[in-house]
Amino acid sequence: MKINSNNGIETMIELIKVSKEYPPDVVALKDLSLSIASGEMFFVIGMSGAGKTTLLKLLCSMEIPSSGLIEISGKPINQLKGSHLAKLRQKIGVAYQDFKLLNDRTTAENVAISMEVSYKKPQIIRKRVRDLLDQLGLSDKHNTITGELSRGEQQRVTLARAIANSPTMILVDEPTGNLDAITTERVMNLLNKCNKGGATVVIATHDDSIYRHTSHRVMELRKGRPHMMTGGIE
Amino acid sequence: MSFWFTVFRQVGRNIRQTWASQLMTLLTVSLSVLIFAFFYLIYANMLTFGEKLGDDLSLIVYLEEEPGPELQQQLTKKITTFDEVEKIRFISRAEAYQRFARQLGQNQDVLNDMPKDFLPPSIEVVPLKNLRSLNQVKLFSAYLSRLPGTLKVQFGQDWVERFYYFTKLLSIIVLLSGTLLILTTIFMVAYTIRLTILGRQAELELLKLVGATNNYIRTPFLLEGLLQGIIGSSVGIISLYALYEWIKLRFSGPVFLNLFEFSFFSPVVSITIICVSILLCTVGSYSTMQKFLRI
Ligand SMILES: Nc1ncnc2c1ncn2[C@@H]1O[C@H](COP(=O)(O)OP(=O)(O)OP(=O)(O)O)[C@@H](O)[C@H]1O
Ligand SMILES: [Mg+2]
């Protein structure tokens, strides 16, 4: 574990001069250095195409950076392979912007996947799935094929899958894009609950209603560069 | 426990999704096992048959002159330098005559006008009782006919030769069908599993992203190959057994089957064939995974 020298809080995410280019010449992120403490809630905002999704993909090692170093709880993730990488990914819950749901499976099966890969007992999985769907107002969709759900519903299923396995790090991309105010609040309550439970939460969003009054840090990206950082002074 | 639970559920899903091609593979595997085992069964029986024939096989070397004890020793030495033999027996003119007379039985009187030494003296050579020596009989006879004072060498030339070529042909067929078995099982299993993998690209991608280990993703596919092997080869062997029983029942008359004892594989051989097929199927699924499931 790496200890942050100034305040003694463990660092969960550490980025040092990270750049990401997509061929042929799209610069999605440029020289981004960032440190996020364990248990912190962190907002990434910016216009469409600013590089928010790219940043989250780098954090869960779905993409590798073109240059720079990324450490998750002290481990450089781009050198991890095989079962070490798998173990790390089990500890990271990601709600993807494009959902990545298996649209021929039921809601419950989709949520269960993240727990099945770490061999949780079936009865524990069943209980956890019911619990989460309840909190997200999806109890009646338990056995519905996710392909038949509305986008807002699919978005919540994705979120449920991300947090089901109680990960230590939760990455959420646009969690409220398709939701009304009340459902948005439900989602944010759930994320806050996870955060209170000790999870580091990184949220990428355009939705200013969820970060406008927050005391957490908010970073704005512009064309792949950090433009502004607010909050977090406490 | 929950590991195997998830693995078996995944296997079930795979089979449900691609059941048509799974069935095709199963059929191919059992058919190739059946074909191979069929020829191998015939071959194995020919071998035992050959051993039994070898028991009665002997070469008769007819000589010009009755060999004295000294010459007998020399001949014996010459014969054994070519190959070890089971037995060598010298038959004098008189003995040959007596034997012939005994064989004639009631018709002995035809010999009355013949001189007692009209039959040539001979050596009876009984080769070792195995198929190798059966194959060598021809060479052996050629060698014996070159011995000094030899008139002629006799044995069941015709059938020995035919039998030899027949077993030779069979062994080639067994080899070919064995190769066929290896190729079809490995490739068919690899192909179906590839089909499954390509059909669930999205799911496998996602599984990797949520942190599924290699074992988690691969074990179901390995198990699938294993199942194909177990079921396919068992079906093949069982249908061969059914075929065997049917033929035995149908042709239990005085036809060729009664000529020699035709028997089915011993349990050990059956199980070996099944195990090898299982191994082949597993190799097939493993090779596909190496290609398409790199993590
Ligand atoms: N796989 C890719 N190949 C090429 N270019 C890409 C790829 N993914 C993203 N980009 C480019 O990188 C830039 C940043 O994309 P990114 O998805 O991170 O934006 P974003 O901030 O998430 O936008 P949005 O708010 O619309 O989701 C964009 O210009 C995009 O076109
Ligand atoms: Mg995005």
Side-chain angles (χ1 to χ4, degrees):
Chain A
M1 284 287 152
K2 215 173 164 179
I3 306 294
N4 225 345
S5 48
N6 11 356
N7 49 17
I9 296 172
E10 282 172 19
T11 306
M12 188 60 169
I13 301 167
E14 181 87 66
L15 277 78
I16 301 166
K17 290 183 77 102
V18 171
S19 298
K20 176 70 189 175
E21 282 173 32
Y22 289 107
D25 58 354
V26 185
V27 180
L29 277 183
K30 187 75 190 160
D31 287 336
L32 180 65
S33 295
L34 180 66
S35 175
I36 298 175
S38 182
E40 190 177 349
M41 187 180 256
F42 189 89
F43 289 90
V44 181
I45 62 168
M47 287 178 4
S48 181
K52 305 181 292 294
T53 300
T54 305
L55 175 60
L56 295 192
K57 282 181 177 172
L58 290 175
L59 291 180
C60 65
S61 80
M62 208 177 136
E63 299 274 3
I64 51 167
S66 313
S67 67
L69 179 74
I70 303 175
E71 285 184 355
I72 306 291
S73 58
K75 293 189 203 90
I77 53 168
N78 295 310
Q79 285 153 23
L80 290 180
K81 280 198 192 71
S83 63
H84 294 289
L85 182 59
K87 284 270 138 50
L88 178 74
R89 279 174 166 171
Q90 287 176 16
K91 292 273 139 218
I92 305 176
V94 190
Y96 302 93
Q97 191 170 13
D98 55 356
F99 308 154
K100 298 196 194 298
L101 293 173
L102 302 176
N103 286 329
D104 54 347
R105 302 279 183 81
T106 66
T107 303
E109 283 174 320
N110 268 284
V111 176
I113 284 176
S114 63
M115 287 180 278
E116 283 170 4
V117 296
S118 50
Y119 308 122
K120 293 276 182 331
K121 288 205 175 69
Q123 57 268 37
I124 291 177
I125 294 179
R126 243 171 283 141
K127 187 170 177 305
R128 176 85 172 142
V129 169
R130 283 199 186 284
D131 233 40
L132 281 173
L133 292 183
D134 221 28
Q135 291 181 56
L136 289 166
L138 289 169
S139 322
D140 53 332
K141 305 292 181 197
H142 191 275
N143 290 320
T144 311
I145 303 292
T146 48
E148 295 165 2
L149 296 177
S150 76
R151 285 192 65 76
E153 286 163 342
Q154 290 179 349
Q155 198 162 37
R156 282 174 283 158
V157 176
T158 310
L159 183 69
R161 184 185 62 199
I163 63 178
N165 202 28
S166 314
T168 51
M169 184 167 122
I170 300 170
L171 310 175
V172 224
D173 203 344
E174 232 39 273
T176 57
N178 302 290
L179 303 182
D180 56 276
I182 294 174
T183 320
T184 299
E185 198 174 315
R186 259 186 156 153
V187 165
M188 286 315 293
N189 281 342
L190 188 56
L191 284 172
N192 277 317
K193 208 168 122 190
C194 293
N195 182 233
K196 294 251 161 54
T200 312
V201 182
V202 180
I203 303 170
T205 185
H206 320 264
D207 184 356
D208 69 344
S209 75
I210 61 174
Y211 64 83
R212 203 185 310 141
H213 300 298
T214 187
S215 59
H216 300 294
R217 285 200 290 166
V218 179
M219 178 179 73
E220 187 184 345
L221 284 177
R222 258 190 210 176
K223 292 186 177 157
R225 290 162 209 269
H227 180 69
M228 207 171 64
M229 185 86 88
T230 56
I233 313 116
E234 273 151 57
Chain B
M1 188 219 92
S2 29
F3 172 73
W4 289 109
F5 176 80
T6 32
V7 163
F8 279 117
R9 187 173 47 193
Q10 195 62 38
V11 171
R13 273 182 195 146
N14 290 355
I15 289 174
R16 236 176 300 141
Q17 188 178 319
T18 52
W19 65 269
S21 54
Q22 303 269 2
L23 207 66
M24 275 296 294
T25 311
L26 206 65
L27 274 177
T28 324
V29 171
S30 20
L31 206 65
S32 20
V33 169
L34 176 65
I35 292 171
F36 169 75
F38 175 76
F39 286 117
Y40 185 65
L41 182 64
I42 295 178
Y43 180 67
N45 275 287
M46 286 318 276
L47 286 188
T48 27
F49 183 49
E51 265 163 40
K52 283 203 194 108
L53 285 179
D55 286 354
D56 318 325
L57 184 80
S58 61
L59 294 117
I60 313 285
V61 185
Y62 293 103
L63 301 172
E64 281 164 5
E65 292 301 328
E66 194 113 23
E70 218 171 289
L71 189 58
Q72 283 194 4
Q73 243 173 25
Q74 265 181 29
L75 282 170
T76 308
K77 224 166 129 195
K78 281 210 169 124
I79 291 169
T80 46
T81 50
F82 180 81
D83 198 2
E84 279 187 48
V85 293
E86 185 82 19
K87 201 169 83 185
I88 296 177
R89 213 159 76 84
F90 288 89
I91 297 162
S92 65
R93 284 180 204 277
E95 267 176 289
Y97 182 84
Q98 276 164 19
R99 241 194 214 188
F100 191 40
R102 227 178 300 129
Q103 277 168 8
L104 286 175
Q106 290 166 341
N107 305 323
Q108 274 188 34
D109 24 325
V110 296
L111 289 178
N112 288 349
D113 301 335
M114 299 296 238
K116 290 242 187 261
D117 58 355
F118 84 102
L119 286 170
S122 60
I123 317 172
E124 193 182 309
V125 181
V126 181
L128 285 180
K129 291 180 169 79
N130 58 40
L131 192 77
R132 197 182 66 85
S133 65
L134 194 64
N135 296 338
Q136 251 186 331
V137 158
K138 242 183 104 180
L139 289 171
F140 203 4
S141 93
Y143 174 78
L144 292 176
S145 66
R146 266 180 274 122
L147 287 179
T150 305
L151 275 177
K152 187 176 157 197
V153 181
Q154 217 174 41
F155 61 98
Q157 268 106 333
D158 266 7
W159 69 258
V160 167
E161 218 157 290
R162 267 189 221 139
F163 183 81
Y164 172 65
Y165 282 118
F166 187 57
T167 32
K168 189 104 191 184
L169 183 72
L170 259 180
S171 71
I172 291 171
I173 294 177
V174 167
L175 272 181
L176 281 180
S177 58
T179 318
L180 187 81
L181 171 76
I182 291 172
L183 292 183
T184 48
T185 41
I186 290 185
F187 285 115
M188 280 303 284
V189 170
Y191 175 76
T192 359
I193 288 180
R194 206 188 81 158
L195 217 66
T196 319
I197 290 174
L198 293 183
R200 17 192 62 207
Q201 215 47 294
E203 183 188 344
L204 295 174
E205 257 337 287
L206 179 76
L207 280 174
K208 284 184 217 168
L209 287 176
V210 295
T213 53
N214 262 339
N215 279 345
Y216 183 91
I217 295 178
R218 289 179 169 198
T219 313
F221 291 110
L222 265 183
L223 215 66
E224 200 181 306
L226 202 78
L227 274 178
Q228 297 272 19
I230 293 173
I231 299 175
S233 55
S234 306
V235 167
I237 292 287
I238 289 170
S239 33
L240 180 64
Y241 186 71
L243 192 70
Y244 163 80
E245 286 291 332
W246 181 76
I247 289 178
K248 229 170 68 169
L249 213 71
R250 188 86 169 60
F251 298 100
S252 61
V255 206
F256 75 104
L257 275 175
N258 284 17
L259 199 64
F260 59 97
E261 199 66 35
F262 199 87
S263 59
F264 199 69
F265 297 127
S266 67
V268 178
V269 175
S270 310
I271 288 170
T272 307
I273 293 178
I274 291 177
C275 285
V276 169
S277 315
I278 293 172
L279 191 77
L280 290 176
C281 290
T282 318
V283 166
S285 60
Y286 188 76
S287 70
T288 317
M289 286 188 311
Q290 288 298 71
K291 247 184 266 162
F292 293 94
L293 276 186
R294 286 206 163 275
I295 300 175

